[in-house]
Amino acid sequence: MTHGELIRKLRKERGLTQQQLVAGISSRTTLSSLENNRTDITTSILFAYLERLNVSIQEYLFYFNDNTTTEKELATQYFYDNVVKQRDLAIKERILDYQSKYKDSKDFYYCCLSIELKLFLNKKHDRQLFDVAEDTGIIKHYLERVTQWGHFEMSIFANCLYIFSSDYIRATFTILLKRTKILSKIDTYQNDLSIFLNNCIVLALERHHYQNARFYIHELNEIAGKTPRKAYDRLMCQYYLELIKQLTQQSAQVNQIIQQFQALGFDDHANMLRQLQRRLTAGVQPSIA
């Protein structure tokens, strides 16, 4: 099913004429051309049509994919749910599989997955099992070329953060906010941004760049009030600030914050925070905040 065919189907199911759907959005000719597969439309017009049809972006994509899980979605599910449990050999085989898919389809999605798996293995073993210098350039070129970022671009950047310099990440964060502005009203956007900022904070702490960490903590605290993750993100901000105190040889209450997560029933998360604390404070030397 094409985009035009799906829009026509949704419109007719909701009893709207073409003129009723396009009023104040576009010309009827624009919609007619789309529905007859003669032309495409901008994302802003598509979003406006969907809003009038009371169809969310997530629902629209589900319908567009014929109510099935796409190969890309299955690949994403594998990557995020299972990759950390797989043996190195299985991961290397998956890298070759994604590279082959990219070669055949020229779909950049599979290129990115192969790169992310290489980075995962490099970080897991704390050495360069794969030379990713060329891959870094590929990711940078893609992100700089795309002017309208979505979930895909944010995920790429968040998952590949550690290959970039701290200055590059800080500068690109400002660009990210501008390039994702159109998505700011979509429910999943604030969640994506929250995950991205949490990744930035952890990386800044690993690099002992505490001023950058404080900047990202401030940004995370600012957006927390706009998301369903408000309580979680605000508590994470407290955790990070207390962790910085500990890392800079100040009196800190990191364990008390972790106990709050545990009291809320987040036992696994509390254990993860303890592991991060131990890793970052192992052999820590006095440093300048």
Side-chain angles (χ1 to χ4, degrees):
M1 181 179 293
T2 66
H3 288 286
E5 290 168 345
L6 178 55
I7 289 294
R8 182 172 59 235
K9 178 176 181 291
L10 294 172
R11 176 178 62 77
K12 289 186 174 182
E13 285 177 348
R14 285 153 181 78
L16 295 178
T17 65
Q18 287 186 335
Q19 193 58 49
Q20 288 172 324
L21 178 56
V22 304
I25 298 175
S26 71
S27 68
R28 193 187 68 79
T29 302
T30 297
L31 176 60
S32 178
S33 295
L34 171 68
E35 291 187 350
N36 289 289
N37 301 317
R38 290 197 298 267
T39 186
D40 292 324
I41 57 174
T42 65
T43 54
S44 60
I45 292 178
L46 175 61
F47 289 174
Y49 286 166
L50 294 180
E51 182 177 3
R52 183 156 293 166
L53 291 166
N54 292 312
V55 175
S56 72
I57 301 298
Q58 291 81 6
E59 290 168 338
Y60 179 79
L61 292 175
F62 184 67
Y63 299 146
F64 184 70
N65 291 318
D66 293 325
N67 304 343
T68 61
T69 302
T70 66
E71 185 177 11
K72 288 184 180 181
E73 289 169 330
L74 290 172
T76 299
Q77 182 178 357
Y78 167 87
F79 185 82
Y80 291 106
D81 293 344
N82 300 314
V83 69
V84 294
K85 303 175 184 176
Q86 300 299 311
R87 296 180 179 179
D88 289 1
L89 181 59
I91 296 175
K92 290 176 181 177
E93 290 176 351
R94 185 65 65 158
I95 289 172
L96 293 176
D97 178 50
Y98 289 150
Q99 288 176 331
S100 176
K101 281 185 168 63
Y102 174 60
K103 183 178 180 181
D104 292 339
S105 67
K106 302 303 179 185
D107 189 330
F108 192 65
Y109 179 86
Y110 294 110
C111 176
C112 288
L113 280 184
S114 69
I115 293 173
E116 288 179 37
L117 287 176
K118 291 179 189 177
L119 295 174
F120 169 78
L121 286 181
N122 283 355
K123 192 168 181 63
K124 177 182 177 182
H125 294 277
D126 198 26
R127 61 190 178 91
Q128 293 292 310
L129 294 177
F130 295 93
D131 182 357
V132 293
E134 182 178 354
D135 295 326
T136 301
I138 291 172
I139 293 292
K140 276 188 175 181
H141 176 71
Y142 174 81
L143 292 177
E144 290 168 356
R145 179 167 51 87
V146 176
T147 58
Q148 182 59 63
W149 283 21
H151 171 78
F152 178 55
E153 287 74 26
M154 289 182 69
S155 297
I156 294 173
F157 196 31
N159 294 330
C160 300
L161 272 181
Y162 88 90
I163 66 176
F164 302 118
S165 71
S166 297
D167 289 342
Y168 180 86
I169 296 170
R170 181 75 176 264
T172 306
F173 174 69
T174 303
I175 298 172
L176 179 151
L177 294 179
K178 293 179 180 178
R179 293 186 175 181
T180 58
K181 186 175 182 180
I182 194 173
L183 303 176
S184 60
K185 294 183 179 179
I186 295 178
D187 294 339
T188 56
Y189 169 77
Q190 299 294 345
N191 185 64
D192 288 343
L193 188 55
S194 175
I195 293 171
F196 172 78
L197 285 168
N198 274 279
N199 287 359
C200 286
I201 294 166
V202 172
L203 181 61
L205 293 176
E206 289 176 342
R207 293 177 175 178
H208 309 294
H209 295 168
Y210 302 130
Q211 289 185 350
N212 278 346
R214 289 190 183 92
F215 168 78
Y216 296 126
I217 292 169
H218 172 76
E219 293 295 323
L220 179 60
N221 191 63
E222 286 291 304
I223 71 161
K226 306 173 185 176
T227 74
R229 297 165 50 111
K230 179 177 180 178
Y232 169 84
D233 283 334
R234 290 270 166 87
L235 198 54
M236 282 303 299
C237 288
Q238 293 179 37
Y239 167 79
Y240 292 133
L241 290 172
E242 292 301 318
L243 191 53
I244 291 175
K245 289 181 182 178
Q246 184 175 2
L247 292 169
T248 55
Q249 306 297 307
Q250 302 176 59
S251 176
Q253 297 182 329
V254 181
N255 292 329
Q256 288 88 329
I257 301 297
I258 294 176
Q259 287 170 7
Q260 290 184 51
F261 277 105
Q262 200 160 10
L264 291 170
F266 299 122
D267 293 340
D268 290 342
H269 187 67
N271 290 331
M272 185 192 73
L273 296 181
R274 288 192 184 94
Q275 292 173 8
L276 178 61
Q277 178 191 22
R278 287 194 293 267
R279 179 163 60 85
L280 293 177
T281 57
V284 66
Q285 300 295 323
S287 59
I288 299 174

